[in-house]
Amino acid sequence: MGAGESGTEDAAARVRRPPKPHAIELPWTTVEHYLGRGQGASYRLSAVGEPLVSYEVSDRGRGIALHVELTERHQAPRSPLSAVRVDNILLAGRRMVRLTTTEPELLRDFHDLVLAVADRIVVAGREPARAFDETVHGWSALLGRARGLPLERRLGLHGELAVLVRLAGTMGWRGALDAWVGPAGEEHDFALGTADLEIKTTASERRRHTVHGLGQLEENPGRPLWFASFRVTRGGAGGRTLGDSVKAARDAAAADGIASRARLDRLLSAAGWDPDRPDDERWTPRDNGPLVLRAVEMPRLTSEDLPHVAHGRIEGVTYVVDVTDLTPAVGPSPADLSDLRLP
């Protein structure tokens, strides 16, 4: 066979070869748009004629899922992750697996995970179980590298900035920045006159908050401690990213003076904010304002709850407290947090 004939066959083979699938792209902003509006949506990720792989946004903003069709030779993936659930389902006569997360607050991260799984199936041609295992293995190898602030801290900073901007409107930026003592390593977020304030922010329907240490809900001598439970929900296009809140706060501080913005920047840095690692999750308040409680009137653990033999020997206590449906404190709180908004 001559060179010309070989070249002709190679060219014919290139023509007959199906085009290589493109990497899967589904921006989080698109998904968040539907979540924020409570609308369902379905995106087919695999080519027509291939086993179905689809990305599903449930209605009422309840969550997202990856549907993967299984052929006779395919096995269903098994999840070693408590936050990822794999269910076998029948859909229009197709044998499918459905990947969902048991942690609604982790939807943004779960979105990245299932797109990585889908990419391995659709683009790389992996079987579903192998695609899932490879993705989990790869992500596990990177657990030591944070993508930025963890979700709990991002939401917490949202809430603290909301309070900071509210305080700046009543006592000025100098007083508000003096009051924001959390980034300096103090036990409580704000020191206000003769009282302290701890604000916790959650994206869950129940007011469940993680408390770090026995001192976080313990009063300083002679200073009553107030606790604010602030709930947010995904806001879609009308919501605020943490970057939006930071920019709004910095712009407001800059209007007060260069010194105020410089001081705010130092506090933001101490709080863990990195402008080079912004997030794209948008949030909006779920309620007209936070639930405000006196710390002494809510469930909590303090050093006084430890037996005497444990004092000085137990460190790093972390627990979750649920304050859903508790009665708000009676009387004026140290700061007006009614109708609290993200900056």
Side-chain angles (χ1 to χ4, degrees):
M1 182 179 296
E5 293 177 324
S6 176
T8 300
E9 289 188 359
D10 288 345
R14 286 196 296 270
V15 171
R16 291 193 300 268
R17 186 180 299 123
K20 182 179 180 180
H22 296 290
I24 291 174
E25 294 183 3
L26 180 56
W28 171 251
T29 52
T30 300
V31 176
E32 194 172 42
H33 167 80
Y34 288 103
L35 288 172
R37 290 176 173 266
Q39 297 178 348
S42 179
Y43 292 88
R44 180 168 185 140
L45 305 179
S46 58
V48 176
E50 297 292 328
L52 177 63
V53 178
S54 68
Y55 184 108
E56 306 292 328
V57 182
S58 66
D59 57 5
R60 302 179 186 175
R62 289 177 296 183
I64 59 179
L66 183 71
H67 288 179
V68 180
E69 183 178 2
L70 299 178
T71 67
E72 293 182 358
R73 61 187 179 84
H74 288 162
Q75 293 184 342
R78 294 185 178 182
S79 176
L81 307 174
S82 60
V84 178
R85 180 173 175 173
V86 179
D87 294 307
N88 291 281
I89 63 173
L90 281 176
L91 187 63
R94 299 174 188 259
R95 176 173 165 251
M96 312 278 290
V97 291
R98 177 178 59 208
L99 275 61
T100 56
T101 179
T102 59
E103 301 289 341
E105 295 182 3
L106 298 178
L107 280 185
R108 176 63 180 89
D109 299 285
F110 181 66
H111 166 81
D112 289 341
L113 176 74
V114 295
L115 284 189
V117 173
D119 193 83
R120 282 185 164 91
I121 296 172
V122 174
V123 179
R126 300 285 195 268
E127 293 187 0
R130 180 179 175 187
F132 182 76
D133 290 345
E134 286 181 354
T135 303
V136 170
H137 178 78
W139 279 41
S140 298
L142 291 173
L143 285 180
R145 293 185 179 184
R147 191 183 68 169
L149 288 175
L151 177 64
E152 179 190 338
R153 189 65 198 111
R154 296 198 304 270
L155 292 177
L157 190 51
H158 255 308
E160 290 174 45
L161 286 173
V163 173
L164 178 68
V165 172
R166 172 65 63 86
L167 293 176
T170 58
M171 65 174 61
W173 272 100
R174 180 175 180 178
L177 292 170
D178 284 343
W180 193 24
V181 296
E186 297 296 328
E187 289 282 6
H188 309 131
D189 295 323
F190 293 91
L192 303 166
T194 59
D196 296 323
L197 171 68
E198 182 70 26
I199 180 165
K200 292 285 188 180
T201 306
T202 180
S204 64
E205 292 190 14
R206 297 194 64 82
R207 297 182 182 275
R208 299 176 70 252
H209 304 283
T210 302
V211 180
H212 301 278
L214 295 172
Q216 195 167 46
L217 294 183
E218 189 171 32
E219 295 88 347
N220 290 318
R223 296 180 59 83
L225 175 63
W226 292 74
F227 180 89
S229 170
F230 187 38
R231 296 194 303 174
V232 295
T233 187
R234 297 188 182 277
R240 308 281 290 172
T241 67
L242 180 55
D244 291 335
S245 289
V246 169
K247 183 180 184 304
R250 292 184 74 248
D251 288 348
D256 182 71
I258 296 176
S260 292
R261 188 175 69 178
R263 188 177 176 195
L264 174 59
D265 285 343
R266 291 194 294 271
L267 288 170
L268 287 169
S269 179
W273 168 252
D274 183 351
D276 295 326
R277 306 180 94 175
D279 69 291
D280 55 1
E281 292 178 284
R282 296 181 177 274
W283 305 96
T284 190
R286 186 186 291 266
D287 312 292
N288 291 329
L291 170 66
V292 180
L293 306 165
R294 289 285 303 273
V296 295
E297 298 171 349
M298 61 178 286
R300 60 174 182 162
L301 293 176
T302 69
S303 58
E304 295 181 356
D305 297 312
L306 291 180
H308 179 73
V309 68
H311 281 266
R313 296 184 179 277
I314 292 182
E315 299 178 0
V317 174
T318 300
Y319 62 97
V320 176
V321 61
D322 189 334
V323 297
T324 307
D325 299 328
L326 291 186
T327 303
V330 178
S333 64
D336 178 13
L337 302 182
S338 59
D339 195 30
L340 189 66
R341 295 287 145 194
L342 300 179

